[in-house]
Amino acid sequence: MVQLTENLFNKVKKPLRNYLKQGFRDSLRILVSGGPGGNGLPKFGGVGGKGGDVIIEAKEAVTLETVFRANRSKKYLAEPGKSASHNFILGPPGQDRVFEVPVGISVITDYGKKLGELNSEGERLIIAKGGTGGHPKNGFLGTRGQSYPVKLDLKLLADIGLVGFPNAGKSTLLRAISDAKPKVASYAFTTVRPHLGMVTYEDHRQISIADLPGLIEGAYANKGMGHQFLKHIERTKLLLMIVDINGFQLSYQYPHRSCLETIMLLTKELEMYNPDLLCKPSILLVNKMDSDGSDKCYKEVKNTLNTFKDFISSYSEEMRPKNILQFTDVLPISAKTNDHDIKKVKNRLRAILDVMSELSAKEEVPDLYNDTRQLLTERGPSLV
């Protein structure tokens, strides 16, 4: 009886699954402190050395997880400047503290001030300056360096941002077209952290795709995973929206949303987070076309998209966006069962990104939607 009671009340903790152990870290709060300046030497007019700076340098192979593991104290302190002496009238400066961070990092103080960002390999940024050495104007007393907590905020740098409600097939698509291996299952929120995959073509051209965890209604207001992952869409060149032809229902607490309603609600989430996202070129993938009755549903979806503003006008303001995404293309696919669809998506993504790159090289500011459509049309019906 005693043994039975112990078994009931002493629950055995299950080991944490690997994908939860590894974690995706896209922000890290650290303390940075520039070194204090050294004191001067009044008798001989000696000047103290400047304190060292705290500097970050962007590296492609680094993640915030490796930054955290390399220094679990999360304190980055530069060396103090040396004081002036009889032997060194000019005190030597303190050594800078330099550490590596991922490309795509922004540095933000607790007061919301952005100190800067690093967007390419090898870029450097001083995030805490060292103090001034002692000299006649400050009474030969070295000053303190800047010291405060900051947040390293990572936004993924990818060519394409893959967005959709849970279980729409984002992870299945990413596995099929890239080298990423996200977890795939037939339930919502399989993806619990972003995945970055590389699509490689026969001529070795590569395109990066960020698969973001499924949004839910109200994500813009930080419901579900909210802003934690919506921020990663901002730096992508192209939006790839994927929806289930059969619609979606998160749980019994939520109403079932049709395919067209999911397009409307996803657009609303993007708009509420950042209206500028709706200006990005975008493609719509209508997935799970291998299901019964999908052809009839797709015809309705395609026809309604031509008058989408009229369709959403019948919904409440809480649900409908003020503006809509103008899709450069709408593709019906079956990401799980049709290899031809996957090849078509890969070729389409490359064609659109190539056209966008060509347009961005021009001196005049392009109308990305209309100009992209025009160029694709000129290059043949297979690309429209």
Side-chain angles (χ1 to χ4, degrees), residues 344-359:
K344 184 177 180 181
V345 171
K346 288 179 66 173
N347 292 337
R348 188 61 177 164
L349 293 176
R350 176 172 181 166
I352 292 177
L353 286 173
D354 286 347
V355 167
M356 289 173 58
S357 178
E358 185 178 329
L359 289 172

Side-chain angles (χ1 to χ4, degrees), residues 191-230:
T191 304
V192 294
R193 60 185 60 89
H195 290 281
L196 191 61
M198 298 299 297
V199 181
T200 304
Y201 296 85
E202 292 181 357
D203 60 355
H204 305 295
R205 166 76 184 278
Q206 289 188 320
I207 291 173
S208 56
I209 299 184
D211 171 24
L212 308 180
L215 302 176
I216 63 172
E217 294 178 45
Y220 67 86
N222 255 348
K223 290 183 181 179
M225 296 176 181
H227 287 190
Q228 184 179 356
F229 297 125
L230 270 173

Side-chain angles (χ1 to χ4, degrees), residues 28-35 53-56 67-68 71-78 97 99 107-110 115 127-128 145-152:
L28 180 65
R29 194 170 184 269
I30 62 174
L31 176 68
V32 294
S33 184
D53 300 327
V54 179
I55 302 171
I56 56 175
V67 175
F68 171 71
N71 184 1
R72 291 183 180 273
S73 72
K74 299 190 288 185
K75 295 179 180 179
Y76 293 85
L77 314 176
R97 178 66 187 274
F99 64 100
V107 185
I108 304 167
T109 69
D110 278 359
L115 300 180
I127 56 177
Q146 294 177 328
S147 182
Y148 37 64
V150 297
K151 183 174 75 169
L152 302 178

Side-chain angles (χ1 to χ4, degrees), residues 38-53:
N39 292 327
L41 188 64
K43 185 175 181 180
F44 297 102
V47 177
K50 175 187 173 299
D53 300 327

Side-chain angles (χ1 to χ4, degrees), residues 356-371:
M356 289 173 58
S357 178
E358 185 178 329
L359 289 172
S360 62
K362 295 183 177 180
E363 293 183 2
E364 65 271 14
V365 179
D367 178 342
L368 282 177
Y369 171 73
N370 290 318
D371 291 354

Side-chain angles (χ1 to χ4, degrees), residues 1-9:
M1 183 65 182
V2 174
Q3 184 65 39
L4 178 61
T5 305
E6 288 179 354
N7 290 338
L8 287 173
F9 290 97

Side-chain angles (χ1 to χ4, degrees), residues 24-26 28 56-71 76 98-105 118 120-123 152 154-157 196:
F24 174 83
R25 193 182 292 273
D26 59 2
L28 180 65
I56 56 175
E57 182 176 357
K59 291 291 181 181
E60 291 284 357
V62 176
T63 67
L64 279 182
E65 186 63 27
T66 58
V67 175
F68 171 71
R69 290 179 182 274
N71 184 1
Y76 293 85
V98 182
F99 64 100
E100 296 175 347
V101 296
V103 175
I105 280 290
L118 302 179
S120 59
E121 174 89 9
E123 279 189 340
L152 302 178
L154 174 66
K155 293 181 182 177
L156 292 176
L157 293 172
L196 191 61

